mmCIF file of all heavy atoms in Angstrom:
data_model
loop_
_atom_site.group_PDB
_atom_site.id
_atom_site.type_symbol
_atom_site.label_atom_id
_atom_site.label_comp_id
_atom_site.label_asym_id
_atom_site.label_seq_id
_atom_site.Cartn_x
_atom_site.Cartn_y
_atom_site.Cartn_z
ATOM 1 N N VAL X 1 4.457 16.800 -14.606
ATOM 2 C CA VAL X 1 4.080 15.713 -15.538
ATOM 3 C C VAL X 1 5.369 15.073 -16.080
ATOM 4 O O VAL X 1 5.477 13.811 -16.123
ATOM 5 C CB VAL X 1 3.251 16.241 -16.705
ATOM 6 C CG1 VAL X 1 2.956 15.130 -17.757
ATOM 7 C CG2 VAL X 1 1.909 16.763 -16.155
ATOM 8 N N ALA X 2 6.288 15.876 -16.460
ATOM 9 C CA ALA X 2 7.556 15.290 -17.048
ATOM 10 C C ALA X 2 8.290 14.489 -15.999
ATOM 11 O O ALA X 2 8.832 13.365 -16.334
ATOM 12 C CB ALA X 2 8.496 16.511 -17.459
ATOM 13 N N LEU X 3 8.306 14.937 -14.781
ATOM 14 C CA LEU X 3 8.933 14.135 -13.712
ATOM 15 C C LEU X 3 8.167 12.865 -13.448
ATOM 16 O O LEU X 3 8.785 11.849 -13.129
ATOM 17 C CB LEU X 3 9.100 14.996 -12.390
ATOM 18 C CG LEU X 3 9.756 14.286 -11.254
ATOM 19 C CD1 LEU X 3 11.161 13.780 -11.644
ATOM 20 C CD2 LEU X 3 9.918 15.333 -10.118
ATOM 21 N N PHE X 4 6.816 12.953 -13.477
ATOM 22 C CA PHE X 4 5.917 11.769 -13.197
ATOM 23 C C PHE X 4 6.274 10.723 -14.193
ATOM 24 O O PHE X 4 6.161 9.504 -13.867
ATOM 25 C CB PHE X 4 4.485 12.195 -13.236
ATOM 26 C CG PHE X 4 3.591 11.059 -13.011
ATOM 27 C CD1 PHE X 4 3.473 10.521 -11.691
ATOM 28 C CD2 PHE X 4 2.758 10.536 -13.948
ATOM 29 C CE1 PHE X 4 2.555 9.393 -11.461
ATOM 30 C CE2 PHE X 4 1.915 9.473 -13.753
ATOM 31 C CZ PHE X 4 1.820 8.896 -12.452
ATOM 32 N N LYS X 5 6.554 11.052 -15.422
ATOM 33 C CA LYS X 5 6.863 10.063 -16.473
ATOM 34 C C LYS X 5 8.101 9.225 -16.093
ATOM 35 O O LYS X 5 8.218 8.057 -16.448
ATOM 36 C CB LYS X 5 7.081 10.737 -17.773
ATOM 37 C CG LYS X 5 5.863 11.361 -18.391
ATOM 38 C CD LYS X 5 6.152 12.060 -19.729
ATOM 39 C CE LYS X 5 4.923 12.783 -20.281
ATOM 40 N NZ LYS X 5 5.233 13.485 -21.581
ATOM 41 N N LYS X 6 8.972 9.817 -15.329
ATOM 42 C CA LYS X 6 10.185 9.081 -14.796
ATOM 43 C C LYS X 6 9.897 8.261 -13.551
ATOM 44 O O LYS X 6 10.580 7.352 -13.235
ATOM 45 C CB LYS X 6 11.359 10.081 -14.552
ATOM 46 C CG LYS X 6 11.841 10.904 -15.748
ATOM 47 C CD LYS X 6 12.905 11.808 -15.347
ATOM 48 C CE LYS X 6 13.421 12.677 -16.393
ATOM 49 N NZ LYS X 6 14.470 13.576 -16.000
ATOM 50 N N SER X 7 8.943 8.821 -12.808
ATOM 51 C CA SER X 7 8.828 8.318 -11.375
ATOM 52 C C SER X 7 7.579 7.416 -11.169
ATOM 53 O O SER X 7 7.386 6.843 -10.024
ATOM 54 C CB SER X 7 8.691 9.535 -10.424
ATOM 55 O OG SER X 7 7.473 10.172 -10.599
ATOM 56 N N TRP X 8 6.712 7.242 -12.124
ATOM 57 C CA TRP X 8 5.439 6.597 -11.862
ATOM 58 C C TRP X 8 5.656 5.177 -11.314
ATOM 59 O O TRP X 8 4.904 4.714 -10.396
ATOM 60 C CB TRP X 8 4.576 6.488 -13.118
ATOM 61 C CG TRP X 8 5.122 5.608 -14.228
ATOM 62 C CD1 TRP X 8 5.917 5.945 -15.299
ATOM 63 C CD2 TRP X 8 4.860 4.234 -14.393
ATOM 64 N NE1 TRP X 8 6.169 4.828 -16.073
ATOM 65 C CE2 TRP X 8 5.591 3.784 -15.495
ATOM 66 C CE3 TRP X 8 4.130 3.260 -13.626
ATOM 67 C CZ2 TRP X 8 5.510 2.457 -15.904
ATOM 68 C CZ3 TRP X 8 4.108 1.947 -14.066
ATOM 69 C CH2 TRP X 8 4.803 1.525 -15.190
ATOM 70 N N LEU X 9 6.594 4.410 -11.831
ATOM 71 C CA LEU X 9 6.868 3.116 -11.287
ATOM 72 C C LEU X 9 7.314 3.141 -9.896
ATOM 73 O O LEU X 9 6.832 2.260 -9.043
ATOM 74 C CB LEU X 9 7.937 2.371 -12.181
ATOM 75 C CG LEU X 9 8.292 0.915 -11.742
ATOM 76 C CD1 LEU X 9 7.053 0.055 -11.756
ATOM 77 C CD2 LEU X 9 9.363 0.392 -12.649
ATOM 78 N N HIS X 10 8.113 4.006 -9.541
ATOM 79 C CA HIS X 10 8.611 4.150 -8.099
ATOM 80 C C HIS X 10 7.465 4.603 -7.246
ATOM 81 O O HIS X 10 7.431 4.197 -6.034
ATOM 82 C CB HIS X 10 9.820 5.128 -8.036
ATOM 83 C CG HIS X 10 10.890 4.693 -8.959
ATOM 84 N ND1 HIS X 10 11.770 3.667 -8.569
ATOM 85 C CD2 HIS X 10 11.356 5.191 -10.082
ATOM 86 C CE1 HIS X 10 12.719 3.538 -9.553
ATOM 87 N NE2 HIS X 10 12.457 4.437 -10.509
ATOM 88 N N GLY X 11 6.555 5.408 -7.670
ATOM 89 C CA GLY X 11 5.451 5.805 -6.977
ATOM 90 C C GLY X 11 4.497 4.634 -6.674
ATOM 91 O O GLY X 11 3.889 4.464 -5.622
ATOM 92 N N LEU X 12 4.372 3.802 -7.707
ATOM 93 C CA LEU X 12 3.543 2.602 -7.559
ATOM 94 C C LEU X 12 4.192 1.698 -6.510
ATOM 95 O O LEU X 12 3.468 1.110 -5.601
ATOM 96 C CB LEU X 12 3.435 1.865 -8.881
ATOM 97 C CG LEU X 12 2.823 0.485 -8.824
ATOM 98 C CD1 LEU X 12 1.371 0.481 -8.353
ATOM 99 C CD2 LEU X 12 2.879 -0.149 -10.257
ATOM 100 N N ILE X 13 5.434 1.502 -6.568
ATOM 101 C CA ILE X 13 6.177 0.600 -5.544
ATOM 102 C C ILE X 13 5.990 1.193 -4.176
ATOM 103 O O ILE X 13 5.765 0.454 -3.183
ATOM 104 C CB ILE X 13 7.632 0.502 -5.906
ATOM 105 C CG1 ILE X 13 7.858 -0.228 -7.246
ATOM 106 C CG2 ILE X 13 8.406 -0.135 -4.788
ATOM 107 C CD1 ILE X 13 9.238 -0.287 -7.693
ATOM 108 N N MET X 14 6.056 2.595 -4.035
ATOM 109 C CA MET X 14 5.834 3.190 -2.710
ATOM 110 C C MET X 14 4.425 2.869 -2.207
ATOM 111 O O MET X 14 4.361 2.445 -0.999
ATOM 112 C CB MET X 14 5.975 4.732 -2.920
ATOM 113 C CG MET X 14 5.575 5.459 -1.575
ATOM 114 S SD MET X 14 5.591 7.291 -1.758
ATOM 115 C CE MET X 14 4.136 7.503 -2.763
ATOM 116 N N GLN X 15 3.399 2.951 -3.044
ATOM 117 C CA GLN X 15 2.032 2.592 -2.561
ATOM 118 C C GLN X 15 1.966 1.202 -2.193
ATOM 119 O O GLN X 15 1.308 0.810 -1.174
ATOM 120 C CB GLN X 15 0.985 2.996 -3.688
ATOM 121 C CG GLN X 15 0.982 4.439 -4.040
ATOM 122 C CD GLN X 15 0.563 5.343 -2.999
ATOM 123 O OE1 GLN X 15 -0.024 4.987 -1.975
ATOM 124 N NE2 GLN X 15 0.850 6.663 -3.101
ATOM 125 N N LEU X 16 2.501 0.288 -2.996
ATOM 126 C CA LEU X 16 2.428 -1.099 -2.701
ATOM 127 C C LEU X 16 3.162 -1.508 -1.433
ATOM 128 O O LEU X 16 2.694 -2.349 -0.621
ATOM 129 C CB LEU X 16 2.995 -1.894 -3.881
ATOM 130 C CG LEU X 16 2.186 -1.877 -5.194
ATOM 131 C CD1 LEU X 16 2.974 -2.652 -6.284
ATOM 132 C CD2 LEU X 16 0.813 -2.443 -4.924
ATOM 133 N N VAL X 17 4.270 -0.855 -1.086
ATOM 134 C CA VAL X 17 5.028 -1.122 0.112
ATOM 135 C C VAL X 17 4.214 -0.686 1.326
ATOM 136 O O VAL X 17 4.030 -1.436 2.358
ATOM 137 C CB VAL X 17 6.364 -0.386 0.161
ATOM 138 C CG1 VAL X 17 7.008 -0.444 1.486
ATOM 139 C CG2 VAL X 17 7.320 -0.985 -0.906
ATOM 140 N N ILE X 18 3.570 0.499 1.209
ATOM 141 C CA ILE X 18 2.815 0.986 2.330
ATOM 142 C C ILE X 18 1.492 0.051 2.588
ATOM 143 O O ILE X 18 1.222 -0.265 3.743
ATOM 144 C CB ILE X 18 2.267 2.462 2.093
ATOM 145 C CG1 ILE X 18 3.389 3.398 2.093
ATOM 146 C CG2 ILE X 18 1.204 2.881 3.096
ATOM 147 C CD1 ILE X 18 3.083 4.817 1.707
ATOM 148 N N ILE X 19 0.914 -0.421 1.448
ATOM 149 C CA ILE X 19 -0.235 -1.317 1.645
ATOM 150 C C ILE X 19 0.231 -2.676 2.243
ATOM 151 O O ILE X 19 -0.502 -3.179 3.114
ATOM 152 C CB ILE X 19 -0.819 -1.564 0.166
ATOM 153 C CG1 ILE X 19 -1.536 -0.269 -0.290
ATOM 154 C CG2 ILE X 19 -1.842 -2.708 0.236
ATOM 155 C CD1 ILE X 19 -2.102 -0.392 -1.700
ATOM 156 N N ALA X 20 1.405 -3.201 1.789
ATOM 157 C CA ALA X 20 1.845 -4.450 2.307
ATOM 158 C C ALA X 20 2.181 -4.398 3.783
ATOM 159 O O ALA X 20 2.083 -5.355 4.531
ATOM 160 C CB ALA X 20 3.146 -4.848 1.474
ATOM 161 N N ILE X 21 2.620 -3.185 4.247
ATOM 162 C CA ILE X 21 2.923 -3.041 5.714
ATOM 163 C C ILE X 21 1.557 -2.811 6.448
ATOM 164 O O ILE X 21 1.394 -3.269 7.608
ATOM 165 C CB ILE X 21 3.871 -1.867 5.936
ATOM 166 C CG1 ILE X 21 5.162 -2.230 5.287
ATOM 167 C CG2 ILE X 21 4.029 -1.569 7.389
ATOM 168 C CD1 ILE X 21 6.203 -1.060 5.260
ATOM 169 N N THR X 22 0.566 -2.185 5.891
ATOM 170 C CA THR X 22 -0.591 -1.778 6.547
ATOM 171 C C THR X 22 -1.586 -2.985 6.658
ATOM 172 O O THR X 22 -2.229 -3.187 7.753
ATOM 173 C CB THR X 22 -1.365 -0.674 5.794
ATOM 174 O OG1 THR X 22 -0.463 0.442 5.701
ATOM 175 C CG2 THR X 22 -2.571 -0.244 6.511
ATOM 176 N N ILE X 23 -1.710 -3.817 5.665
ATOM 177 C CA ILE X 23 -2.709 -4.859 5.695
ATOM 178 C C ILE X 23 -2.583 -5.805 6.827
ATOM 179 O O ILE X 23 -3.579 -6.128 7.541
ATOM 180 C CB ILE X 23 -2.725 -5.618 4.311
ATOM 181 C CG1 ILE X 23 -3.318 -4.735 3.214
ATOM 182 C CG2 ILE X 23 -3.445 -6.990 4.428
ATOM 183 C CD1 ILE X 23 -3.319 -5.377 1.842
ATOM 184 N N PRO X 24 -1.386 -6.374 7.132
ATOM 185 C CA PRO X 24 -1.350 -7.249 8.271
ATOM 186 C C PRO X 24 -1.793 -6.670 9.660
ATOM 187 O O PRO X 24 -2.434 -7.322 10.443
ATOM 188 C CB PRO X 24 0.114 -7.591 8.298
ATOM 189 C CG PRO X 24 0.692 -7.314 6.997
ATOM 190 C CD PRO X 24 -0.049 -6.180 6.480
ATOM 191 N N VAL X 25 -1.453 -5.379 9.810
ATOM 192 C CA VAL X 25 -1.871 -4.634 11.061
ATOM 193 C C VAL X 25 -3.347 -4.545 11.068
ATOM 194 O O VAL X 25 -4.014 -4.703 12.082
ATOM 195 C CB VAL X 25 -1.158 -3.348 11.228
ATOM 196 C CG1 VAL X 25 -1.621 -2.608 12.463
ATOM 197 C CG2 VAL X 25 0.329 -3.467 11.169
ATOM 198 N N VAL X 26 -3.961 -4.137 9.955
ATOM 199 C CA VAL X 26 -5.397 -3.979 9.894
ATOM 200 C C VAL X 26 -6.100 -5.349 10.114
ATOM 201 O O VAL X 26 -7.127 -5.413 10.779
ATOM 202 C CB VAL X 26 -5.834 -3.412 8.503
ATOM 203 C CG1 VAL X 26 -7.344 -3.383 8.335
ATOM 204 C CG2 VAL X 26 -5.290 -1.996 8.313
ATOM 205 N N MET X 27 -5.566 -6.376 9.538
ATOM 206 C CA MET X 27 -6.146 -7.704 9.717
ATOM 207 C C MET X 27 -6.118 -8.152 11.231
ATOM 208 O O MET X 27 -7.080 -8.794 11.644
ATOM 209 C CB MET X 27 -5.474 -8.676 8.818
ATOM 210 C CG MET X 27 -5.776 -8.560 7.341
ATOM 211 S SD MET X 27 -7.505 -8.609 6.922
ATOM 212 C CE MET X 27 -7.892 -10.290 7.539
ATOM 213 N N ILE X 28 -5.021 -7.803 11.823
ATOM 214 C CA ILE X 28 -4.951 -8.159 13.333
ATOM 215 C C ILE X 28 -6.103 -7.538 14.077
ATOM 216 O O ILE X 28 -6.660 -8.134 15.002
ATOM 217 C CB ILE X 28 -3.604 -7.701 13.896
ATOM 218 C CG1 ILE X 28 -2.414 -8.549 13.308
ATOM 219 C CG2 ILE X 28 -3.606 -7.813 15.388
ATOM 220 C CD1 ILE X 28 -1.077 -8.095 13.722
ATOM 221 N N PHE X 29 -6.471 -6.360 13.672
ATOM 222 C CA PHE X 29 -7.565 -5.556 14.341
ATOM 223 C C PHE X 29 -8.890 -6.155 13.984
ATOM 224 O O PHE X 29 -9.741 -6.390 14.842
ATOM 225 C CB PHE X 29 -7.487 -4.130 14.019
ATOM 226 C CG PHE X 29 -8.617 -3.295 14.628
ATOM 227 C CD1 PHE X 29 -8.645 -3.023 16.005
ATOM 228 C CD2 PHE X 29 -9.685 -2.910 13.831
ATOM 229 C CE1 PHE X 29 -9.656 -2.244 16.544
ATOM 230 C CE2 PHE X 29 -10.787 -2.179 14.355
ATOM 231 C CZ PHE X 29 -10.728 -1.846 15.759
ATOM 232 N N TYR X 30 -9.128 -6.421 12.705
ATOM 233 C CA TYR X 30 -10.438 -6.815 12.281
ATOM 234 C C TYR X 30 -10.761 -8.266 12.282
ATOM 235 O O TYR X 30 -11.965 -8.626 12.348
ATOM 236 C CB TYR X 30 -10.689 -6.311 10.778
ATOM 237 C CG TYR X 30 -11.006 -4.907 10.633
ATOM 238 C CD1 TYR X 30 -10.106 -3.918 10.229
ATOM 239 C CD2 TYR X 30 -12.318 -4.396 11.081
ATOM 240 C CE1 TYR X 30 -10.429 -2.546 10.159
ATOM 241 C CE2 TYR X 30 -12.674 -3.066 11.018
ATOM 242 C CZ TYR X 30 -11.695 -2.115 10.523
ATOM 243 O OH TYR X 30 -12.007 -0.852 10.417
ATOM 244 N N PHE X 31 -9.692 -9.112 12.295
ATOM 245 C CA PHE X 31 -9.976 -10.612 12.315
ATOM 246 C C PHE X 31 -10.805 -11.037 13.509
ATOM 247 O O PHE X 31 -11.799 -11.807 13.348
ATOM 248 C CB PHE X 31 -8.665 -11.351 12.247
ATOM 249 C CG PHE X 31 -8.822 -12.842 12.249
ATOM 250 C CD1 PHE X 31 -9.262 -13.454 11.015
ATOM 251 C CD2 PHE X 31 -8.657 -13.563 13.419
ATOM 252 C CE1 PHE X 31 -9.442 -14.792 11.039
ATOM 253 C CE2 PHE X 31 -8.909 -14.963 13.308
ATOM 254 C CZ PHE X 31 -9.298 -15.651 12.130
ATOM 255 N N PRO X 32 -10.525 -10.565 14.779
ATOM 256 C CA PRO X 32 -11.335 -11.066 15.860
ATOM 257 C C PRO X 32 -12.770 -10.581 15.730
ATOM 258 O O PRO X 32 -13.725 -11.319 16.126
ATOM 259 C CB PRO X 32 -10.664 -10.323 17.090
ATOM 260 C CG PRO X 32 -9.233 -10.101 16.608
ATOM 261 C CD PRO X 32 -9.337 -9.812 15.205
ATOM 262 N N ILE X 33 -12.973 -9.389 15.167
ATOM 263 C CA ILE X 33 -14.266 -8.864 15.016
ATOM 264 C C ILE X 33 -15.072 -9.741 13.982
ATOM 265 O O ILE X 33 -16.220 -10.046 14.203
ATOM 266 C CB ILE X 33 -14.319 -7.399 14.628
ATOM 267 C CG1 ILE X 33 -13.628 -6.602 15.763
ATOM 268 C CG2 ILE X 33 -15.716 -6.856 14.380
ATOM 269 C CD1 ILE X 33 -13.417 -5.105 15.408
ATOM 270 N N ILE X 34 -14.399 -10.001 12.923
ATOM 271 C CA ILE X 34 -15.067 -10.749 11.828
ATOM 272 C C ILE X 34 -15.377 -12.188 12.367
ATOM 273 O O ILE X 34 -16.482 -12.739 12.089
ATOM 274 C CB ILE X 34 -14.229 -10.879 10.580
ATOM 275 C CG1 ILE X 34 -14.006 -9.438 9.963
ATOM 276 C CG2 ILE X 34 -14.810 -11.766 9.516
ATOM 277 C CD1 ILE X 34 -13.013 -9.336 8.874
ATOM 278 N N ALA X 35 -14.374 -12.793 13.061
ATOM 279 C CA ALA X 35 -14.588 -14.122 13.561
ATOM 280 C C ALA X 35 -15.770 -14.109 14.555
ATOM 281 O O ALA X 35 -16.604 -15.074 14.560
ATOM 282 C CB ALA X 35 -13.295 -14.641 14.256
#
């Protein structure tokens, strides 16, 4: 918990970076199906 108080912002950035990289690839797969 004590370490999380120092790291929560960096953990959030980590999740956002992974999402930012994942979404375009997922959209490439799903866009033709949705269209």
